[in-house]
Amino acid sequence: AMANKAPAPMGAGAVPSQQPVMRKIPLDAAVVMNVLRSMGVDDWEPRVVNQLMEFVHRYTSEVLEESFVYCEHAERSEIKIDDVKLAILAKLQTQYTKPPTAEAMHDHAASLNRIPLPALTNRPGIHMPQDENLLSANYQFFPRGVEAYEIGEEGIRRNGGDDDVDAYGGRGGGDGGGDG
């Protein structure tokens, strides 16, 4: 008789952590949570369960769609277990690959390590990788060999003394006016 007793409502003196929290969750979420617990995961963010539920739904949908294609190809109206097994096998072979063995990785690393690294230059300053060793594009804000310009109240001027050209086409020390 005691096992069917509902928890007492929280009163003014009750401590929230001592009262069980009863909430309804979808059956699929409960299954995912049980799988997590069975694998030794005791704590997770709620979004983890949502992400795993989405993955399960998408994977199952794709397998069933592929199974239906096999069923239609066999000119049957009902999906059989062999259709599902074939769809799962096809999915495993095309989308999920086995990682290489440790021996294969060791052999690959040995072949790469046979190639010597380029010698370091003995120059002062910060050593930057060469362009062919960069992982992304090499953006230069002020590339070498390009003339620099100053932007001021009198317009745009090229740096470099008496040969300054302002934005208005004038030459010289550059106030931009013709009265110089």
Side-chain angles (χ1 to χ4, degrees):
M2 291 295 261
N4 293 335
K5 185 177 179 182
M10 289 181 53
V15 178
S17 63
Q18 294 175 348
Q19 297 295 326
V21 176
M22 302 300 286
R23 59 186 169 143
K24 292 183 179 183
I25 59 172
L27 180 61
D28 294 342
V31 170
V32 168
M33 292 165 71
N34 285 336
V35 168
L36 286 169
R37 285 189 191 105
S38 72
M39 297 190 74
V41 180
D42 296 323
D43 191 26
W44 57 81
E45 291 182 17
R47 294 183 296 176
V48 170
V49 175
N50 293 341
Q51 186 73 34
L52 289 173
M53 284 176 38
E54 181 180 331
F55 174 78
V56 168
H57 182 267
R58 185 179 32 193
Y59 179 80
T60 305
S61 298
E62 289 173 1
V63 166
L64 289 176
E65 286 173 5
E66 190 74 18
S67 300
F68 185 70
V69 169
Y70 296 143
C71 175
E72 284 182 332
H73 180 73
E75 297 177 355
R76 286 186 267 110
S77 60
E78 186 176 292
I79 296 176
K80 293 191 174 191
I81 189 68
D82 290 337
D83 299 327
V84 175
K85 287 180 180 179
L86 186 59
I88 290 172
L89 184 63
K91 190 159 188 66
L92 288 175
Q93 288 181 347
T94 58
Q95 291 187 358
Y96 303 104
T97 59
K98 290 183 180 179
T101 63
E103 183 178 331
M105 292 295 290
H106 185 268
D107 292 344
H108 183 66
S111 69
L112 282 179
N113 289 336
R114 283 189 201 114
I115 302 169
L117 294 173
L120 292 176
T121 59
N122 193 12
R123 60 179 169 78
I126 298 173
H127 293 257
M128 300 299 292
Q130 300 299 319
D131 285 342
E132 63 269 7
N133 297 326
L134 294 175
L135 298 177
S136 60
N138 184 14
Y139 295 104
Q140 295 182 4
F141 291 103
F142 303 107
R144 292 183 181 145
V146 176
E147 296 180 10
Y149 293 90
E150 288 182 2
I151 300 174
E153 292 179 10
E154 52 284 328
I156 301 173
R157 296 185 331 157
R158 184 176 66 207
N159 285 344
D162 291 338
D163 290 337
D164 288 347
V165 176
D166 65 25
Y168 306 106
R171 291 200 162 279
D175 64 354
D179 296 332

